[in-house]
Each structure stands twice: as C-alpha cells, then as structure tokens.
Amino acid sequence: MEKENIAVGLDIGTTKIVAMIGKKNEYGKLEILGVGKSKSLGVARGVVNNITQTIQSIQQAILEAENNSGYKIKDVVVGIAGQHIRSIQHSDYISRSNPEEVIGGNDIDLLINQVHKLAMLPGEEIIHVLPQEFKIDGQSDVKEPIGMYGGRLESSFHVVVGQASSIRNVGRCIQSSGIELSGLTLEPLASSDAVLSQEEKEAGVALIDIGGGTTDLAIFKDGIIRHTAVIPFGGNVITDDIKEGCSIIEKQAELLKVKFGSAWPGENKDNEIVSIPGLRGREPKEISLKNLSKIINARVVEIIEQVFTEVRAYGHEDPRKKLIAGIVLTGGGAQLKHIKQLVEYITGMDTRIGYPNEHLAGNSDEEISSPLYATAVGLVMNSIENRTQSAVRMEKVTGPEKVTYYREPVVEPKVETKEEVVQPEKILQVEAQSVKVESTENKIRRSFFDKYVDKIKEFLDNAE
C-alpha cells in the first residue's frame, strides 16, 4: 500500500499551543486529521521563558492531536515568532569563473553561503534567507536564474534574523517533548501561505497577524516577500487594559473582550451595561460597554499605528511599491468586532479578514477555518511542501494503556524510522532528477532549512 504523506505543524503561541496533523487529499486540498490545543504556559511575547511549562503544554497539545487523529507524531514543523525577530534587506553577488557554463544550483548555494557570512549582532543568527530579484551581468528582474548564462550573478535578499538562544530553547522544548524538529518557519510566512492568494501577493498586500503576545507583519509585492516585522503587542495587552480599567480579574476581562468587546467606541449606547459577578460574595460589578470599547479602541489604535509605521518604512507610498490588495487581518485578534473598519479608517487601505479555508478540504471543521488557526494551517502546508512523513498510524490500543505507555514508545519511532528511511531515500533519488523543475525560491528555502535545523539538532546533541 502507498505510504500516506502525513504532515504536522506546531504553533507555539503566547496564549495557545496548537498541534495540527493533516494530509493532502486527491483534490490537492488540505485534510485536517486531528488538532490538539493547550493553554500556552511558559511563553511570553512569542519567546520561551519557562522550559518545563512549555514542554508540558506541547505534550498536552501533541497527545490531544494524536488521540483525535489516531496517528503517532514523530516530527513537527514549528513556527518562530517573538520580539527578537528582525529583518534586513541585503544585496550580494558572485563572479563566476566560467561565464560560458549555465548557472546551476551550486552558484545559487554559493551566493546564499555568502549571505550567511554577514556580521550579526552578538547572539543573533540568520533564520531565513529569502531571494528577491536576481541580476545577471546587469540584466535586472530575473526571476529564475538557473539555466541562464552569465559571469556576474547578483541578488537582493530579505534576511530574517533572530536570537539564537530563543530558537534553541524552542528546539530544546520539542526534543524534550519526545518528538523531532523537521523544520522552522517564520510565523507570518506560514500565515501568509494559509490566507493569501497568489494574486494578492502579486498585486501587493500587507498581512497583519494579531496574536496573543505579538502582532506579525509580512508585506508581499510582485509575488515576493518584501518586508517582515514583529511588534511586541497583541491581544493580551488589550485584556490587561480591560483588567486594569474595569478592576476585574483576567479571566473576566478576556470573556468581556471576546463576547462584548468592540474596536469602534461609537457603536455602543451609554445605557448598555453588563453585570459581572463579584469575587467571594462581593457585590456584582456593572461595566458600561461604551467604556469597554473605548479601552479596547485606544490599545488597538496603538497596535495598528505601530504596524502602519512598518508599512510606511517599507515605502508603500511609492507608486512602484503600492499595496493594491491592501491589508489582510488574521490571527485571534482579527476576530475582534469592527476591527476591519478601524484598520480601514486608520490606514485608508482596503482591508479583509483572512480565513485559511481556501486551502482546506470541504468537509473541514468550521472551527479550524477560523483566523485563530491560520498559522497552524500554514505550518502543516509547509510540512507537506517539505515532503515530511511526520506521523504514523497508531495501532488501536485501549485508552488507559495509551496514556500509561505514552513516554515509553517515544524511543520506538526512532528505531522504526531507520528502517523506513530506506524507502523515502529511493523516492528522493527519483525526485533529485527533476530538481531543476522546482523554483529557485523553494529550493533555497528548503536547502537552507535543512542546514539550519541540522545546526540546531547538532547544538542540542552537543549540549546533552
């Protein structure tokens, strides 16, 4: 029987950790086999600050996804975010010894390796090297250099940089949870794969992913990533403001925000009031919905203005850099009432809410097609692109036994994979012949991640 290509994405967020198992169906759509969700403990603003709690949260999400799907997870593609992420634009070139030979993958690898030698700030490492336009002997706007002739190969790159320690901490949490790390992706890039169409990327679009701890931005133009940024504010600061402004506990503040919150203060009448039970026999609190929306509005305006500063820094006012498709909002924060209207009012740009349902199979659960799961869906798509075999079908075992022996089988998949690796290798040999068909951008992204993930694994093994 043909082996299923099962992909697994793990979204380690500030408020929640989502493990998602999926595969492509016969129509090329993503079929979600199982989802596990747990409260994220030990992560602040996208950065791990308590290893033990994060491991427990990851294990809980993984176990739930396994129980829902009937598959045992072996490895995952993980999203990287956090306030330590920054991006730079960089151009580099190589001079080829023989211009009479066609440009091949080796020349591009050489150019990429040169970008890796960029001097970074202490403790920083390059996460992504994303190619933009290539130039060959002064001829600009070359999208696909492989197969062309030329002596000087030049390219502009979008380089994403992050704190090495933060990335290694994520690697340590995953390894300690009993699973392997098969890939890393910047979270706004994963979200963009899930909610943006190719037409939008061509026309020019800004994706704003409003999470719990951070707001991520990715700008595309002419189908190429142009700018990325991570703003260290998200839905949690709105909840904190409600907590302080209304003198209530966090749980109540979150419920208020989700059920009655609005980003547009003019919507509510003065006499609209919600009553909140008091603590331990105290009198209930009455909160005006108008005041609530004023508190939310003030913080959302601040977040959107910070994001718009980044959009301006990209230079969207330049006619050649104009973002014709406007703004797409996604992430949990995009579910806030009237946020679309507020963003349009502040930025003057067309705005829509981004749902990942375009890539999902028709029978998918409605909850999964919420903006909340955009990053997780994007990570599963990324895992499918990497052709990973990330999960194997579990044998039917009774409930208690599955929980009792949960830690023991962790060693077994490692032994099994050694036998299984024989078959994927044969497949890879066949694929290697058609490698030239793959786009340069995908090839660079894939080969770079293989190297980077290997580097993290090597670091973790040496740190044992």
Side-chain angles (χ1 to χ4, degrees):
M1 199 178 93
E2 196 184 316
K3 243 192 185 81
E4 293 176 299
N5 180 16
I6 307 297
V8 184
L10 184 70
D11 175 14
I12 302 176
T14 307
T15 46
K16 66 178 190 331
I17 289 177
V18 179
M20 193 177 273
I21 305 176
K23 65 172 183 178
K24 261 196 179 167
N25 66 11
E26 64 268 37
Y27 307 109
K29 294 284 183 187
L30 188 62
E31 191 182 320
I32 303 301
L33 303 169
V35 178
K37 196 167 92 171
S38 66
K39 191 169 168 50
S40 181
L41 302 168
V43 180
R45 293 196 169 157
V47 178
V48 174
N49 62 6
N50 185 320
I51 293 267
T52 314
Q53 286 184 327
T54 307
I55 291 167
Q56 285 169 354
S57 297
I58 290 172
Q59 284 178 333
Q60 198 181 325
I62 291 284
L63 190 58
E64 193 184 317
E66 287 180 336
N67 290 342
N68 286 346
S69 65
Y71 283 85
K72 178 84 186 151
I73 294 174
K74 296 191 298 180
D75 56 60
V76 292
V77 168
V78 178
I80 289 286
Q83 61 198 70
H84 60 95
I85 302 287
R86 67 186 183 97
S87 64
I88 49 176
Q89 294 298 118
H90 176 71
S91 289
D92 220 322
Y93 73 92
I94 55 163
S95 295
R96 302 179 65 238
S97 54
N98 186 0
E100 301 303 312
E101 267 183 26
V102 292
I103 294 168
N106 292 345
D107 296 304
I108 288 164
D109 288 344
L110 205 61
L111 190 53
I112 297 282
N113 291 338
Q114 214 156 280
V115 177
H116 281 286
K117 289 172 188 161
L118 273 178
M120 291 291 124
L121 294 173
E124 280 190 335
E125 260 182 28
I126 292 173
I127 304 170
H128 274 275
V129 177
L130 302 167
Q132 305 202 305
E133 289 97 352
F134 288 92
K135 262 187 191 177
I136 300 171
D137 293 346
Q139 179 195 338
S140 56
D141 293 340
V142 175
K143 293 272 168 73
E144 185 57 87
I146 290 179
M148 296 179 78
Y149 292 95
R152 178 183 161 114
L153 176 64
E154 196 177 335
S155 179
S156 53
F157 290 98
H158 181 77
V159 183
V160 181
V161 180
Q163 283 290 340
S165 56
S166 299
I167 298 159
R168 282 167 185 163
N169 285 339
V170 169
R172 160 67 64 224
C173 291
I174 286 157
Q175 201 178 49
S176 302
S177 303
I179 47 178
E180 291 292 318
L181 180 65
S182 68
L184 280 166
T185 295
L186 191 65
E187 293 206 345
L189 288 180
S191 306
S192 68
D193 285 343
V195 303
L196 297 181
S197 69
Q198 193 53 41
E199 286 86 353
E200 283 176 315
K201 290 181 182 180
E202 289 288 341
V205 66
L207 177 81
I208 302 172
D209 185 343
I210 307 168
T214 59
T215 299
D216 305 333
L217 170 73
I219 296 176
F220 292 84
K221 179 75 178 171
D222 301 327
I224 296 166
I225 181 97
R226 300 293 180 181
H227 188 75
T228 48
V230 177
I231 286 105
F233 299 111
N236 289 1
V237 283
I238 301 170
T239 306
D240 286 344
D241 286 357
I242 297 168
K243 186 177 81 172
E244 300 298 327
C246 301
S247 303
I248 53 178
I249 61 170
E250 194 172 336
K251 199 175 175 182
Q252 293 171 332
E254 182 65 29
L255 270 171
L256 258 185
K257 178 181 80 173
V258 172
K259 286 205 162 186
F260 303 101
S262 164
W264 199 266
E267 267 310 297
N268 302 104
K269 296 182 181 74
D270 292 329
N271 61 352
E272 284 183 302
I273 281 168
V274 65
S275 180
I276 285 180
L279 297 174
R280 280 267 172 157
R282 291 176 180 82
E283 288 291 303
K285 266 199 174 68
E286 290 194 336
I287 288 162
S288 153
L289 290 188
K290 189 152 201 156
N291 283 346
L292 176 69
S293 60
K294 277 180 181 171
I295 292 168
I296 293 171
N297 173 268
R299 184 59 86 176
V300 174
V301 166
E302 188 189 345
I303 291 170
I304 299 304
E305 279 178 346
Q306 282 211 35
V307 174
F308 197 49
T309 304
E310 289 286 345
V311 175
R312 277 201 290 264
Y314 150 76
H316 90 108
E317 282 153 5
D318 180 338
R320 286 169 305 172
K321 293 183 171 183
K322 195 169 167 34
L323 304 177
I324 297 162
I327 290 171
V328 176
L329 294 171
T330 193
Q335 295 173 304
L336 189 62
K337 214 185 291 174
H338 302 123
I339 192 164
K340 171 187 175 295
Q341 290 85 336
L342 182 65
V343 172
E344 283 182 338
Y345 176 74
I346 293 170
T347 63
M349 294 165 79
D350 284 343
T351 305
R352 75 169 177 91
I353 306 295
Y355 298 92
N357 50 4
E358 189 191 324
H359 300 282
L360 295 173
N363 59 353
S364 295
D365 191 343
E366 202 176 310
E367 193 194 1
I368 295 163
S369 57
S370 144
L372 203 67
Y373 292 103
T375 304
V377 170
L379 291 169
V380 174
M381 288 167 66
N382 200 277
S383 181
I384 285 174
E385 226 175 82
N386 293 350
R387 300 185 182 93
T388 46
Q389 175 60 42
S390 301
V392 287
R393 203 182 280 276
M394 277 199 279
E395 307 207 356
K396 292 208 172 173
V397 194
T398 52
E401 270 180 271
K402 200 189 293 176
V403 178
T404 315
Y405 298 115
Y406 172 60
R407 288 182 185 277
E408 218 179 318
V410 165
V411 186
E412 285 176 28
K414 289 183 182 170
V415 180
E416 281 176 43
T417 44
K418 281 188 178 157
E419 297 173 305
E420 285 172 19
V421 164
V422 182
Q423 286 169 313
E425 257 184 73
K426 287 178 189 168
I427 297 163
L428 285 173
Q429 282 165 12
V430 177
E431 281 167 1
Q433 293 161 10
S434 59
V435 102
K436 283 181 183 170
V437 181
E438 187 179 25
S439 81
T440 305
E441 189 178 347
N442 283 353
K443 182 178 180 299
I444 288 170
R445 205 193 274 198
R446 202 189 313 284
S447 67
F448 170 66
F449 275 125
D450 291 345
K451 286 179 205 161
Y452 193 75
V453 171
D454 288 345
K455 195 155 66 167
I456 290 175
K457 283 180 185 167
E458 194 183 321
F459 171 82
L460 292 172
D461 290 343
N462 293 342
E464 286 293 319

